[in-house]
């Protein structure tokens, strides 16, 4: 009889232990499930905040790039108009063209300096090179009448220098700007 009682006690105890273990497992699983769901919700919220923040940053960067590129185009047009080798009747005077070119490049520089933070170092370096070379062209053109060389030869050399160096820099900047705003051009063929 002792053996039977012992087996009953062990059986009941075993069932109780199994029941407690099962209930403990279910309870822990439930708690962990709630924690996981809470963690997922927080993670989704942080991801959404991150997406909004960087979407606004990208939008601002695109606006800055568009404005800077417009100012770059204006400066380019004004400089080319100033140093053009053939002046037609009715065109602005050389003094007025110089004033327009200086104003356009200065507007470009001021805008760039205020917004340089939106550009990577490589693009900033290209922009600085463009600014330096454009200023050199304007200075060279102002002193094209210096003795020792013909004015026409100086004029043509300055124009050629602008077209070979500055316009190539402008093209590099266009490419960099397109990459920054996610536009890439490819020629398939």
């Amino acid at each position: 009889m002792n053996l039977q009682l012992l087996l009953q006690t062990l059986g009941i105890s075993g069932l109780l232990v199994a029941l407690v273990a099962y209930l403990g497992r279910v309870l822990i699983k439930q708690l962990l499930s709630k924690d996981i769901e809470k963690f997922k919700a927080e993670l989704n919220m942080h991801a959404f905040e991150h997406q909004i923040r960087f979407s606004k940053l990208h939008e601002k960067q695109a606006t800055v790039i568009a404005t800077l590129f417009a100012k770059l185009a204006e400066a380019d047009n004004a400089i080319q108009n100033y140093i053009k080798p053939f002046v037609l009747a009715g065109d602005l005077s050389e003094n007025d063209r110089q004033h327009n070119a200086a104003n356009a490049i200065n507007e470009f520089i001021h805008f760039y300096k205020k917004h340089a933070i939106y550009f990577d170092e490589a693009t900033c370096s290209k922009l600085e090179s463009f600014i330096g070379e454009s200023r050199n062209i304007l200075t060279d053109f102002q002193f094209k009448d210096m003795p020792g060389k013909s004015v026409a030869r100086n004029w043509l050399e300055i124009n050629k220098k602008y077209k070979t160096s500055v316009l190539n820099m402008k093209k590099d900047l266009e490419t960099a700007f397109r990459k920054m705003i996610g536009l890439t051009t490819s020629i398939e063929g």
Side-chain angles (χ1 to χ4, degrees):
M1 199 171 338
N2 274 343
L3 185 60
Q4 191 177 12
L5 184 61
L6 180 65
L7 287 177
Q8 276 182 339
T9 306
L10 285 177
I12 293 174
S13 296
L15 281 175
L16 286 175
V17 167
L19 181 64
V20 167
Y22 174 75
L23 290 175
R25 193 178 111 222
V26 168
L27 183 62
I28 289 173
K29 190 175 181 182
Q30 186 97 15
L31 290 173
L32 287 178
S33 176
K34 285 182 183 179
D35 285 346
I36 288 173
E37 290 302 317
K38 182 179 174 186
F39 181 72
K40 282 182 183 178
E42 287 177 14
L43 199 58
N44 285 338
M45 185 179 70
H46 288 300
F48 183 69
E49 287 174 359
H50 182 77
Q51 181 182 3
I52 294 294
R53 183 178 306 123
F54 283 99
S55 134
K56 286 183 179 185
L57 176 64
H58 189 264
E59 183 180 325
K60 174 69 175 172
Q61 184 184 37
T63 301
V64 167
I65 289 170
T67 303
L68 186 68
F69 187 76
K71 291 187 180 299
L72 174 71
E74 290 168 11
D76 175 43
N77 289 336
I79 292 170
Q80 286 195 55
N81 190 40
Y82 174 48
I83 66 171
K84 65 185 177 183
F86 303 105
V87 180
L88 302 174
D91 277 351
L92 294 174
S93 70
E94 186 174 318
N95 233 11
D96 288 342
R97 293 192 327 268
Q98 176 194 12
H99 181 73
N100 289 346
N103 283 343
I105 195 70
N106 285 334
E107 283 184 31
F108 170 78
I109 292 167
H110 290 297
F111 186 85
Y112 160 65
K113 295 291 184 184
K114 288 180 184 176
H115 298 90
I117 193 72
Y118 291 100
F119 302 99
D120 59 39
E121 289 181 25
T123 304
C124 285
S125 179
K126 289 176 186 178
L127 287 162
E128 294 291 339
S129 294
F130 177 84
I131 290 167
E133 198 60 35
S134 295
R135 283 179 168 168
N136 289 341
I137 295 286
L138 292 175
T139 302
D140 290 349
F141 196 74
Q142 281 180 308
F143 297 106
K144 70 185 175 308
D145 300 337
M146 296 298 287
K149 277 190 174 180
S150 79
V151 173
R153 183 178 308 270
N154 277 348
W155 202 322
L156 291 173
E157 285 175 7
I158 292 167
N159 202 286
K160 182 179 179 182
K161 181 180 175 185
Y162 186 80
K163 288 187 181 203
T164 56
S165 65
V166 176
L167 291 182
N168 284 337
M169 289 179 199
K170 182 183 174 213
K171 188 146 188 78
D172 287 347
L173 286 168
E174 286 179 38
T175 302
F177 290 165
R178 282 189 179 102
K179 284 180 183 176
M180 291 172 76
I181 60 174
L183 300 175
T184 55
T185 57
S186 65
I187 300 173
E188 296 181 28

